[in-house]
Amino acid sequence: MLQAAAPPPFVQTAPAADVDRRLGEIVALLSGAGDYEATFAQRFRTEIPKQRFDAIAAQLRAGLGKPRGVWRIERYNALEADALLDYERGRVRVRLTLAPGGSRQVAGFSIIGTAPLQDSFAVIAAEAARLPGEVGFGVYALEDPAPRALAEHHGEAAAPIGSAFKLWVLAELAAQIADRRHRWDEVVALARPSLASGITQDWPASTPMTLQALATLMIAISDNTATDTLMGVLGRAAVDGRAKALGAAQLPVLTTAEAFRLKHPAAAPLAAGWAALTPEQRRARLADPALATVPLDPALFGDAAVRPDIEWFASPRAMATTLDWLSRKGDRTTLAILATARADRHGLAYVGYKGGSEPGVLSLNHLARDAAGKWYVVAASQHRNDGAVEPSALANLAARALDLLGTRR
């Protein structure tokens, strides 16, 4: 609804009296009182005039009643935080950034989700079912012998997951490190570049990288070149075997460069009938020298899905199985890497995350541990072949589920 910068990459427990004070002022403004000019910086007031802010505040009050205060604050540092605001009939998740310097006015503020007061996993799953396109959603308690669904919608249905497949790569890396076939501090040469996302596609050829650095880039910023480098180190057969054991619905596991090339029109003969091929037939086509001549073209993607049959596929249950494996078999470094991509803790002791997105595809996968040491997964996916997926609705549902886990006793 309102504009703000992206969340910072880590949580810092520095004193944040200014954040607390400004949040209190925002609650007053959302109630219809307060001093708009004193709270918000000039640039924000130019972009979001008070009349527009008041209209949004009135809309929130109409749906949720009067704001009653700040329910929880997730501080990133002295200037940035997420918070849950308590209303009579629900809660509102907000994000704010204060301006540096003496004024500490609010430079960025956004409303990023709402939840009814009597929220539940079943209510959230039912709302997921009403989203456009094909949607899968599940909240799972990680128990023996397998994850147990607390609420689910199409939890068994395989769907495209985009870069969330990188969890399989992380799992195989963790397994090979546990078996002492590799080490986190082992240095390898960066492979040939793929397309963004990421940063290493622009780095010098064969830059030396530790496996831990590659894995961190793969999870934290979904670096595609780092991912492909790791897959080359681990071996296709090993990654495929791990992915199959964890519930992958289509093999082989493509590198990101292979996926981008197969989606290109120039690869049409190699990509023809891809979904109907056997894994062995797909591997044979990937080995065809003609594939390497297909350009990596960032202009390939627009608003709609591109060759949605050429993807990585898994169900919410399979993603829960994957994160369950990582919670049990991953070492401290593995879990630390998983936690680099998300800062908002939702009142939980630990939150790890890996998502995936491209036109028409969205996948959100959270691993959580509560204060009592119990582990959970929130896994969600949405795809549509006729247009882009708006991520905010599904992300808000996942955030609400995590909030409930954070208050679960």
Side-chain angles (χ1 to χ4, degrees):
M1 292 183 188
L2 303 178
Q3 185 174 355
F10 62 94
V11 174
Q12 182 173 319
T13 57
D18 292 318
V19 165
D20 295 20
R21 175 168 57 88
R22 293 303 186 189
L23 278 170
E25 294 173 3
I26 287 170
V27 170
L29 287 163
L30 291 169
S31 302
D35 186 337
Y36 197 69
E37 291 190 3
T39 298
F40 289 100
Q42 177 62 58
R43 181 173 179 180
F44 183 92
R45 300 198 309 269
T46 299
E47 296 178 356
I48 310 293
K50 186 175 186 299
Q51 184 178 8
R52 181 180 172 191
F53 182 95
D54 288 345
I56 294 172
Q59 182 181 2
L60 289 171
R61 291 195 300 271
L64 300 174
K66 296 178 181 179
R68 300 189 295 191
V70 179
W71 188 66
R72 190 179 73 230
I73 302 175
E74 300 277 355
R75 298 180 183 88
Y76 304 118
N77 50 55
L79 299 178
E80 299 170 289
D82 283 1
L84 280 178
L85 306 184
D86 193 30
Y87 276 67
E88 290 176 318
R89 297 189 297 276
R91 294 193 176 102
V92 176
R93 178 177 296 279
V94 302
R95 179 169 294 152
L96 84 161
T97 303
L98 304 187
S103 72
R104 292 292 199 267
Q105 287 180 297
V106 178
F109 178 71
S110 61
I111 296 169
I112 55 177
T114 63
L117 194 60
Q118 301 301 322
D119 210 2
S120 71
F121 298 132
V123 167
I124 295 169
E127 290 187 30
R130 294 195 291 270
L131 293 177
E134 300 297 322
V135 176
F137 189 91
V139 182
Y140 303 90
L142 302 187
E143 301 174 350
D144 289 327
R148 175 174 62 90
L150 302 177
E152 206 176 35
H153 171 70
H154 288 170
E156 77 293 345
I161 59 171
S163 285
F165 87 91
K166 295 167 186 176
L167 290 170
W168 300 328
V169 181
L170 180 64
E172 180 55 26
L173 175 60
Q176 293 196 19
I177 286 174
D179 291 342
R180 299 186 178 182
R181 285 179 279 172
H182 293 287
R183 304 184 318 275
W184 287 115
D185 62 356
E186 180 180 339
V187 176
V188 299
L190 194 66
R192 298 183 65 179
S194 181
L195 294 177
S197 58
I199 55 175
T200 61
Q201 70 276 359
D202 298 320
W203 289 12
S206 301
T207 295
M209 302 283 292
T210 66
L211 298 186
Q212 183 170 340
L214 290 168
T216 302
L217 289 168
M218 175 178 71
I219 299 299
I221 61 172
S222 209
D223 193 296
N224 288 329
T225 300
T227 303
D228 289 0
T229 303
L230 284 174
M231 293 179 72
V233 170
L234 299 172
R236 163 150 272 150
V239 173
D240 283 357
R242 184 67 54 188
K244 182 178 180 180
L246 295 176
Q250 188 183 97
L251 295 175
V253 179
L254 301 173
T255 68
T256 67
E258 287 170 342
F260 294 139
R261 287 192 167 102
L262 284 169
K263 288 174 180 284
H264 196 283
L270 290 173
W274 188 260
L277 299 177
T278 66
E280 291 73 20
Q281 289 171 326
R282 295 191 194 104
R283 292 185 183 101
R285 293 195 184 182
L286 293 175
D288 191 316
L291 184 62
T293 68
V294 176
L296 291 170
D297 184 4
L300 180 65
F301 297 96
D303 293 330
V306 178
R307 286 303 302 264
D309 56 323
I310 298 171
E311 257 286 347
W312 304 270
F313 294 87
S315 67
R317 290 185 193 176
M319 300 313 295
T321 297
T322 299
L323 289 169
D324 184 29
W325 190 98
L326 286 164
S327 74
R328 297 172 187 270
K329 304 292 187 180
D331 61 10
R332 294 178 64 181
T333 299
T334 305
L335 293 176
I337 289 170
L338 265 179
T340 56
R342 269 293 186 271
D344 191 342
R345 299 283 285 272
H346 299 272
L348 292 153
Y350 171 91
V351 176
Y353 172 81
K354 184 69 190 87
S357 65
E358 62 184 73
V361 173
L362 179 63
S363 177
L364 310 172
N365 305 281
H366 300 82
L367 173 66
R369 187 181 70 236
D370 66 14
K374 295 180 179 178
W375 289 91
Y376 301 90
V377 166
V378 177
S381 66
Q382 183 179 11
H383 69 99
R384 50 189 303 182
N385 296 338
D386 59 345
V389 172
E390 167 53 49
S392 61
L394 192 65
N396 183 49
L397 295 179
R400 284 166 53 186
L402 291 166
D403 285 336
L404 288 177
L405 290 174
T407 59
R408 189 177 174 87
R409 296 293 182 267

